[in-house]
Amino acid sequence: MNWKKEAANDLRTYPQRKESVINTKERIKVLEEQYVSLKGISTDTPVMGGMSRQEEKMLDNIAERERLKSSLTIAKKLVDLTEKGLSVLDDKERKILEGFYFDKTDNNVERMCVKFHLEKTRLYELREIALKKFTIAMYGTVEI
């Protein structure tokens, strides 16, 4: 496995994963509120041979909340792992990786060169050093 490639992918997806933690929590809250309103609707008339439409909606709601809770747990763990990997870097290394992997705007490399007073080749060298440190912190290795 190419661990540096995996680490770079972890960095690229980190901002979206972090946002998904917030959004998934909100979605679960919405489903919980919907479930409460579903429970309030009367289902006094029994349905022969199966579930009522109301019961189906309630079960679908429960299943969706469980799926989202599982997804939330995974996203939180991946965000935490990425943050732990970033924590081994010094401030400059972290900002360089953020510039390469989080900030995908036009001219981000040129702006980082100006910000850090570096030539492009040196900036890329520092990115490789930081990525290697991050990869080791995340996976314990950079090669097999």
Side-chain angles (χ1 to χ4, degrees), residues 3-15:
W3 295 109
K4 283 176 80 172
K5 187 175 178 180
E6 288 297 314
N9 186 55
D10 286 339
L11 289 167
R12 274 187 212 94
T13 59
Y14 170 75

Side-chain angles (χ1 to χ4, degrees), residues 35 38 51-67:
Y35 185 77
L38 286 171
M51 291 188 288
S52 70
R53 188 145 169 80
Q54 193 64 25
E55 290 169 326
E56 285 180 25
K57 286 182 182 179
M58 291 172 73
L59 287 176
D60 288 347
N61 182 289
I62 292 167
E64 181 65 10
R65 281 187 287 146
E66 289 303 312
R67 187 192 66 75

Side-chain angles (χ1 to χ4, degrees), residues 3-141:
W3 295 109
K4 283 176 80 172
K5 187 175 178 180
E6 288 297 314
N9 186 55
D10 286 339
L11 289 167
R12 274 187 212 94
T13 59
Y14 170 75
Q16 295 84 9
R17 282 186 179 138
K18 194 168 183 175
E19 190 64 30
S20 80
V21 169
I22 296 165
N23 292 337
T24 303
K25 286 178 184 178
E26 290 299 315
R27 181 69 182 145
I28 290 169
K29 285 180 187 176
V30 168
L31 287 169
E32 287 169 347
E33 291 169 7
Q34 287 175 342
Y35 185 77
V36 169
S37 68
L38 286 171
K39 282 175 53 176
I41 297 174
S42 174
T43 56
D44 292 339
T45 308
V47 176
M48 301 302 281
M51 291 188 288
S52 70
R53 188 145 169 80
Q54 193 64 25
E55 290 169 326
E56 285 180 25
K57 286 182 182 179
M58 291 172 73
L59 287 176
D60 288 347
N61 182 289
I62 292 167
E64 181 65 10
R65 281 187 287 146
E66 289 303 312
R67 187 192 66 75
L68 285 171
K69 286 176 185 178
S70 176
S71 177
L72 177 60
T73 300
I74 293 167
K76 280 181 181 178
K77 286 180 182 176
L78 290 170
V79 166
D80 288 346
L81 286 170
T82 303
E83 288 173 351
K84 286 177 184 175
L86 288 169
S87 73
V88 304
L89 306 175
D90 65 33
D91 191 50
K92 186 176 184 179
E93 291 169 330
R94 190 172 46 259
K95 286 181 181 177
I96 288 171
L97 289 184
E98 288 172 0
F100 273 99
Y101 297 104
F102 300 172
D103 178 23
K104 296 305 285 180
T105 58
D106 291 338
N107 300 322
N108 65 330
V109 172
E110 288 78 13
R111 281 187 278 124
M112 283 192 296
C113 287
V114 171
K115 179 179 180 178
F116 296 114
H117 309 289
L118 298 169
E119 296 290 324
K120 274 187 183 181
T121 55
R122 182 64 183 149
L123 181 65
Y124 282 101
E125 288 172 359
L126 291 175
R127 179 191 67 178
E128 287 303 308
I129 292 167
L131 185 58
K132 183 176 181 177
K133 285 173 72 174
F134 176 79
T135 303
I136 292 169
M138 290 288 289
Y139 303 106
T141 186

